[in-house]
Amino acid sequence: MTVVSIKSLLAGRVAQGSEVEVRGWIRSRRDSKGGFSFLALHDGSAQAAIQVVAPGELANYQADVLRLTAGCSVIAKGVLVESQGKGQSFEIQASGIEVCGWVDDPDTYPIAKKRHSFEYLRTVAHLRPRTNTFGATTRVRTVLANAVHRYFYEREFQWINTPLITASDCEGAGEMFRVSTLDLMNLPRTEQGAVDFGADFFGKEAFLTVSGQLNAEAYCLAMSKVYTFGPTFRAENSNTSRHLAEFWMVEPEIAFANLDDDAALAEDFLRYLLTQVLENCEDDLAFFNQFVDEGVLARAQKVASTPFERMDYGDAIKILEKSGKKFEYPVRWGLDMQSEHERYLCEEHVGGPLIVTNYPKDIKAFYMRLNDDGKTVAAMDVLAPGIGEIIGGAQREERLDVLDMRMAEQGLEGLEWYRDLRRYGTVAHAGFGLGFERLLNYITGMENIRDAIPFPRTPKHADY
Amino acid sequence: MTVVSIKSLLAGRVAQGSEVEVRGWIRSRRDSKGGFSFLALHDGSAQAAIQVVAPGELANYQADVLRLTAGCSVIAKGVLVESQGKGQSFEIQASGIEVCGWVDDPDTYPIAKKRHSFEYLRTVAHLRPRTNTFGATTRVRTVLANAVHRYFYEREFQWINTPLITASDCEGAGEMFRVSTLDLMNLPRTEQGAVDFGADFFGKEAFLTVSGQLNAEAYCLAMSKVYTFGPTFRAENSNTSRHLAEFWMVEPEIAFANLDDDAALAEDFLRYLLTQVLENCEDDLAFFNQFVDEGVLARAQKVASTPFERMDYGDAIKILEKSGKKFEYPVRWGLDMQSEHERYLCEEHVGGPLIVTNYPKDIKAFYMRLNDDGKTVAAMDVLAPGIGEIIGGAQREERLDVLDMRMAEQGLEGLEWYRDLRRYGTVAHAGFGLGFERLLNYITGMENIRDAIPFPRTPKHADY
């Protein structure tokens, strides 16, 4: 008797006629007039359930099998046989059904019904992975995350676990979460009456990071090719379908590289990820394509197989100005592009993925490399049909004097350690950031980013 | 001209006679009386540097090459040839050396000297990856992390990103960091004068998590096999070589599994990881074995190849009592074991890795499964020679009535969602936790856990 996953069974990895044991949860039960029952059993390993035929001769047929409801956990033993029914190749002719756990009051089981709104399912985030949709999301997420690591590992990148807690005073603390062990009912004070963070755990005010990039740069300038893949945080009080307070971000950083190299890496990386998901999540993508967004398969195939166009920001603005389209937000050189502009460019103008480069310096961060025109920086955004910006990156300013000037312009001080990287063996280097949940939404067609992460954190919500 | 990593060159993946371009940082320069220079160039991809022979005929030989010092970044082009010198198979006969970045005032370059104390290097954490030791640590860390993901991926586990921010009131908030956006100079108050966390970002008091286990259980009871691999936090004010405020933890959780299955998984996993590092980090492990701890290679080989013994906690206590050893801490049934006890058991008594099972319930967490004796729980610790406990795990209490009793005993309330998992299709399940930095220290022989993570966070330290 071999314990097997339903995924292995459905993939044909077990010979017909084998004695097998499968373990999982009942999705549905259907009783035949012939005195036996069909059980749909799933175990999370695959989109599909396996059909288990429970004969009336089982000793516990009346006592147990006929009482099974959705969500009960069972261990089924039997022989793998060719299925006579439609929709599956194999089924299990059971010789034993052991019930491990019942469902308390099946009528009030929170996910008993077949269809629930995603909004409702967020209120039972501990049970929603038992649904088709969230099981599929979980599997695609795992395949995607592993593809991220594999891509970089095979290309000799080092994975750098940059710190989550930071006391860097340079990253716009307004939208950061404070991390503290101070007793709020008895706050230590300085002589001037301010809060004395010297008495806090880290000896100064500390926050949750918004990006691992600056830290990753330090390792990039020693190891040549690095990436981060970890949680980042925004304390933005935004209740939209695109904002999470806690989300995962991928940030590669490469040395001896300019903006062209960066764009090439972003394109290759994104196409690799989509290819991997297309190859390894066939059933789950088919599910999303059928029930969530019928465009997802074609879109993923398109992005995976189409070379990305490249366009200068200045040209992009001209195209938008000449487009004759009525946009909600203004279009003018010097302004940032909104989602409607990005989507027009890649969906209507180019008809595919697009990398826009060289944005005005005043709308970009201090660490992006100043171009020779003195007005733009070597920044890029990767725009994809159906979503707009999916990756943002830049060549970094490697010249200490220019970096100092840019920091002064933006009123930034400190970061001596970051300046050191330009004092000691500085090189051209570049990198980008990819929001992992945003990409997962793009691939699955799920609209709300709260449905792309197991336990979403948003304003007023940190349950479970 | 192909751009190649030094790792590829040293591995013999490039044919001799090829024109190559390598990019990296100077480790040392030695000038020959013959009017040429030997440059040791490293790029972080491998432990070793590649020797670049820069002939005096280079146009910038006098102006640039002879000024090169440790840490300068260069691009070297030339032909890969067999090396005449000792200690390397290949070298590059340079046809061009381009200097990208100089070192400001080489005499004060913080890591100019060859040997620095690890303590000093922590004060230049942004530059220490440029040293042999921290370059090696970074590479082993990457190999180990990828082995973690690969192990689980190949065995159909789902990677679950459990939340970092938690409002669960059940996890011993005393050692947790508070996460907040409240204005400390103007704290909102309830009518009773307490801090009004209802006005905080999450609408209640929120903390950084100490473990993803409870959340992982919810996914385990839907997907069968899951794991977390992410940051966890302790606000413990401990300045020891074994404590970090922020560290990474691996936590698998398996359904339809008891303590035996859990122990088997822990053993198989640990042996796999060591095998992978032995196979993929040969040069770096040789470095650690030579310069840091000459026992590391033999230890890793031993653990990778030795079946783990198993022992009941009760038997372990009897062995300790009869050992005749003078221990600093008392030995008695009902007390937790200290590192000295754990190390005696595996190093002196067993002479190899050991899994101790069935600990007294009063020293273990509420969620561990109560054994039939009513006194012990199905917990386990994996003990390894040279370090003691390396993994801690347990079968979880899957029976709602027993769980409720255990929670009441420990004065815990709430966690309705966690109780739900026992109300709906509960099954035997188990899991464990592995501190990633602790394992990395074990493998590399590095003694201080602050040297196992890129930017350590400890009391009074959140720099960089």
Side-chain angles (χ1 to χ4, degrees):
Chain A
M1 187 79 65
T2 325
V3 179
V4 287
S5 70
I6 293 171
K7 182 179 179 178
S8 308
L9 288 182
L10 297 173
R13 284 183 224 142
V14 179
Q16 279 186 46
S18 303
E19 289 269 348
V20 295
E21 175 175 330
V22 292
R23 305 152 159 191
W25 292 266
I26 298 291
R27 195 158 275 180
S28 67
R29 188 194 91 228
R30 187 163 56 82
D31 303 321
S32 161
K33 289 179 184 163
F36 55 95
S37 301
F38 296 105
L39 307 175
L41 189 68
H42 73 108
D43 67 1
S45 66
Q47 176 63 35
I50 186 101
Q51 178 159 290
V52 177
V53 183
E57 291 73 33
L58 292 176
N60 62 343
Y61 184 76
Q62 295 289 336
D64 289 346
V65 175
L66 287 181
R67 286 172 55 213
L68 286 172
T69 57
C72 291
S73 50
V74 305
I75 297 176
K77 300 178 185 183
V79 180
L80 187 68
V81 297
E82 201 170 339
S83 179
Q84 306 301 318
K86 277 182 199 162
Q88 67 261 334
S89 319
F90 306 101
E91 62 186 29
I92 292 171
Q93 194 66 41
S95 56
I97 300 280
E98 178 193 335
V99 182
C100 304
W102 296 98
V103 165
D104 261 20
D105 187 10
D107 292 338
T108 61
Y109 182 39
I111 55 165
K113 273 201 317 172
K114 289 229 164 148
R115 283 241 162 181
H116 295 285
S117 74
F118 295 149
E119 199 161 9
Y120 167 75
L121 288 173
R122 271 170 235 140
T123 69
V124 287
H126 59 308
L127 300 174
R128 68 178 183 169
R130 304 175 177 207
T131 65
N132 279 330
T133 306
F134 288 91
T137 303
T138 302
R139 284 184 297 273
V140 174
R141 191 177 168 108
T142 293
V143 167
L144 192 63
N146 273 279
V148 167
H149 284 300
R150 195 164 52 242
Y151 179 88
F152 290 121
Y153 190 66
E154 288 175 354
R155 286 155 187 80
E156 298 179 352
F157 283 66
Q158 308 296 327
W159 184 24
I160 309 302
N161 296 113
T162 50
L164 284 291
I165 296 170
T166 176
S168 242
D169 45 7
C170 201
E171 299 183 44
E175 300 199 341
M176 292 169 88
F177 290 103
R178 182 185 298 108
V179 174
S180 170
T181 55
L182 290 180
D183 177 359
L184 295 187
M185 294 304 285
N186 192 14
L187 283 172
R189 301 281 178 178
T190 64
E191 282 181 19
Q192 290 75 32
V195 175
D196 181 10
F197 288 106
D200 206 348
F201 189 93
F202 294 108
K204 50 177 123 168
E205 202 171 6
F207 301 94
L208 289 176
T209 189
V210 298
S211 159
Q213 178 203 314
L214 304 194
N215 296 93
E217 282 185 59
Y219 269 72
C220 177
L221 295 180
M223 314 300 294
S224 297
K225 295 195 279 187
V226 303
Y227 71 108
T228 74
F229 183 10
T232 45
F233 304 88
R234 295 284 187 286
E236 206 176 328
N237 197 2
S238 296
N239 264 304
T240 80
S241 63
R242 293 180 298 111
H243 289 86
L244 287 171
E246 175 183 325
F247 59 98
W248 284 62
M249 189 141 71
V250 182
E251 296 177 286
E253 191 77 27
I254 46 177
F256 300 96
N258 59 23
L259 188 63
D260 274 346
D261 301 314
D262 202 33
L265 179 68
E267 174 176 346
D268 189 57
F269 178 56
L270 200 52
R271 291 174 65 181
Y272 175 88
L273 294 183
L274 288 167
T275 305
Q276 288 293 309
V277 171
L278 283 166
E279 283 176 11
N280 294 293
C281 302
E282 212 174 331
D283 292 350
D284 289 319
L285 283 194
F287 170 84
F288 286 115
N289 206 61
Q290 185 174 355
F291 294 106
V292 173
D293 175 353
E294 64 178 350
V296 291
L297 261 180
R299 204 165 68 188
Q301 282 155 350
K302 166 111 190 172
V303 175
S305 61
T306 313
F308 294 10
E309 298 253 346
R310 303 204 189 170
M311 184 184 289
D312 196 86
Y313 166 88
D315 296 331
I317 293 296
K318 282 181 201 149
I319 288 164
L320 291 170
E321 284 171 339
K322 289 182 191 159
S323 69
K325 285 279 272 196
K326 276 269 178 211
F327 293 113
E328 191 182 341
Y329 291 90
V331 171
R332 197 171 63 241
W333 198 100
L335 297 182
D336 211 353
M337 284 195 271
Q338 302 297 320
S339 184
E340 56 175 347
H341 309 135
E342 296 171 342
R343 294 188 59 169
Y344 172 81
L345 287 169
C346 61
E347 290 168 23
E348 301 190 41
H349 185 79
V350 167
L354 169 68
I355 305 182
V356 177
T357 55
N358 300 317
Y359 284 75
K361 73 180 167 90
D362 293 336
I363 58 171
K364 290 291 182 182
F366 73 94
Y367 50 72
M368 298 188 175
R369 191 178 196 277
L370 191 64
N371 286 327
D372 290 345
D373 62 15
K375 294 188 303 181
T376 61
V377 288
M380 68 166 186
D381 279 352
V382 180
L383 314 181
I387 190 166
E389 185 200 330
I390 186 103
I391 282 177
Q395 185 174 343
R396 317 308 185 187
E397 184 54 74
E398 88 281 13
R399 298 161 297 186
L400 184 61
D401 53 343
V402 185
L403 181 71
D404 283 345
M405 185 186 78
R406 292 275 289 147
M407 286 179 68
E409 274 176 18
Q410 303 199 11
L412 299 172
E413 286 179 7
L415 281 184
E416 278 307 311
W417 68 270
Y418 189 70
R419 296 180 68 249
D420 272 359
L421 305 177
R422 278 73 184 165
R423 296 176 64 207
Y424 304 125
T426 189
V427 298
H429 62 291
F432 61 79
L434 166 73
F436 189 66
E437 284 76 19
R438 195 164 158 77
L439 178 61
L440 190 60
N441 270 13
Y442 185 61
I443 288 174
T444 58
M446 298 290 287
E447 286 193 352
N448 196 312
I449 202 157
R450 299 171 195 209
D451 299 331
I453 194 164
F455 298 93
R457 268 63 181 118
T458 56
K460 304 296 171 203
H461 289 99
D463 313 311
Y464 310 104
Chain B
M1 186 79 67
T2 323
V3 179
V4 287
S5 71
I6 292 170
K7 182 179 179 179
S8 308
L9 287 182
L10 298 173
R13 283 184 225 142
V14 179
Q16 279 187 48
S18 302
E19 290 269 348
V20 295
E21 175 175 329
V22 291
R23 305 152 159 192
W25 291 266
I26 297 291
R27 194 157 275 179
S28 67
R29 189 194 88 230
R30 186 163 57 81
D31 303 321
S32 160
K33 289 179 183 163
F36 54 94
S37 300
F38 296 104
L39 307 174
L41 189 68
H42 73 108
D43 66 1
S45 66
Q47 176 64 33
I50 185 100
Q51 178 159 291
V52 177
V53 183
E57 292 73 31
L58 291 176
N60 62 344
Y61 184 76
Q62 295 288 335
D64 289 345
V65 175
L66 286 181
R67 285 172 55 212
L68 286 173
T69 58
C72 291
S73 50
V74 304
I75 297 176
K77 299 178 185 182
V79 181
L80 186 68
V81 297
E82 200 171 341
S83 179
Q84 306 301 317
K86 277 182 201 162
Q88 69 260 333
S89 319
F90 305 101
E91 63 187 28
I92 291 171
Q93 194 67 40
S95 56
I97 300 281
E98 177 193 338
V99 182
C100 303
W102 297 98
V103 165
D104 260 22
D105 187 9
D107 293 338
T108 61
Y109 182 39
I111 55 165
K113 273 201 319 174
K114 290 231 165 147
R115 283 243 165 182
H116 295 284
S117 73
F118 295 150
E119 198 161 11
Y120 166 74
L121 288 174
R122 271 171 235 140
T123 69
V124 287
H126 60 307
L127 300 175
R128 68 179 183 169
R130 303 175 178 207
T131 66
N132 279 330
T133 306
F134 288 90
T137 302
T138 302
R139 284 184 296 273
V140 174
R141 190 177 168 105
T142 292
V143 167
L144 192 63
N146 273 278
V148 167
H149 284 301
R150 197 164 50 242
Y151 179 86
F152 290 121
Y153 190 65
E154 289 175 353
R155 286 156 186 80
E156 298 180 351
F157 283 66
Q158 308 297 327
W159 184 24
I160 309 303
N161 296 113
T162 50
L164 285 291
I165 297 171
T166 176
S168 242
D169 44 6
C170 202
E171 300 183 45
E175 299 199 340
M176 293 170 87
F177 291 103
R178 182 184 298 108
V179 174
S180 170
T181 56
L182 289 180
D183 177 359
L184 295 188
M185 294 304 284
N186 192 14
L187 282 172
R189 301 281 178 178
T190 63
E191 281 180 20
Q192 291 76 31
V195 175
D196 181 9
F197 288 107
D200 205 348
F201 189 91
F202 293 109
K204 51 178 127 168
E205 201 171 6
F207 301 94
L208 289 176
T209 189
V210 297
S211 160
Q213 178 203 314
L214 303 194
N215 296 93
E217 282 186 59
Y219 270 72
C220 177
L221 295 180
M223 314 300 295
S224 297
K225 295 196 278 188
V226 303
Y227 71 108
T228 73
F229 183 9
T232 44
F233 304 88
R234 294 283 187 287
E236 205 176 330
N237 197 1
S238 296
N239 264 303
T240 80
S241 63
R242 294 181 298 111
H243 288 86
L244 287 172
E246 174 184 324
F247 59 99
W248 285 61
M249 188 139 72
V250 182
E251 295 177 287
E253 190 78 26
I254 46 177
F256 301 95
N258 60 23
L259 188 63
D260 274 346
D261 301 314
D262 203 33
L265 178 68
E267 174 176 347
D268 189 58
F269 178 56
L270 200 52
R271 291 174 65 182
Y272 175 88
L273 294 183
L274 288 168
T275 306
Q276 287 293 309
V277 171
L278 284 165
E279 282 176 11
N280 294 293
C281 303
E282 212 175 331
D283 292 351
D284 289 320
L285 283 195
F287 170 85
F288 286 114
N289 204 61
Q290 185 174 356
F291 294 107
V292 174
D293 174 354
E294 65 179 349
V296 290
L297 261 180
R299 204 164 67 188
Q301 282 155 351
K302 165 111 191 173
V303 176
S305 61
T306 312
F308 294 11
E309 297 253 346
R310 301 203 191 171
M311 184 184 289
D312 195 86
Y313 165 89
D315 296 332
I317 293 296
K318 283 181 200 149
I319 289 165
L320 290 170
E321 284 172 339
K322 289 183 192 156
S323 68
K325 285 279 274 197
K326 276 268 179 213
F327 293 114
E328 190 182 342
Y329 291 89
V331 171
R332 197 171 61 242
W333 199 99
L335 297 182
D336 211 354
M337 284 195 270
Q338 302 297 320
S339 185
E340 56 176 346
H341 310 136
E342 296 171 342
R343 294 187 60 168
Y344 171 81
L345 287 170
C346 61
E347 290 168 21
E348 300 189 43
H349 185 79
V350 167
L354 169 68
I355 305 182
V356 178
T357 55
N358 300 317
Y359 284 77
K361 73 181 168 90
D362 293 336
I363 57 171
K364 290 291 182 180
F366 73 95
Y367 51 72
M368 297 188 176
R369 191 179 196 275
L370 190 64
N371 286 327
D372 290 345
D373 62 14
K375 293 189 304 181
T376 61
V377 289
M380 67 166 188
D381 279 353
V382 180
L383 314 181
I387 191 166
E389 185 202 331
I390 185 104
I391 282 177
Q395 184 173 344
R396 317 308 184 186
E397 184 55 74
E398 88 281 13
R399 299 161 296 187
L400 184 61
D401 53 342
V402 186
L403 181 71
D404 282 345
M405 186 185 79
R406 294 275 289 147
M407 285 178 68
E409 274 176 20
Q410 304 199 11
L412 300 172
E413 284 179 8
L415 281 184
E416 279 307 312
W417 69 269
Y418 188 71
R419 295 181 68 249
D420 272 359
L421 305 176
R422 278 71 183 165
R423 298 177 63 207
Y424 304 124
T426 189
V427 298
H429 61 291
F432 61 79
L434 166 74
F436 189 67
E437 284 76 19
R438 194 162 159 78
L439 178 62
L440 190 60
N441 270 13
Y442 185 61
I443 288 173
T444 58
M446 298 290 287
E447 285 193 355
N448 197 310
I449 202 156
R450 299 170 195 210
D451 298 331
I453 194 164
F455 299 93
R457 268 64 181 117
T458 56
K460 304 296 172 205
H461 289 99
D463 313 311
Y464 309 106

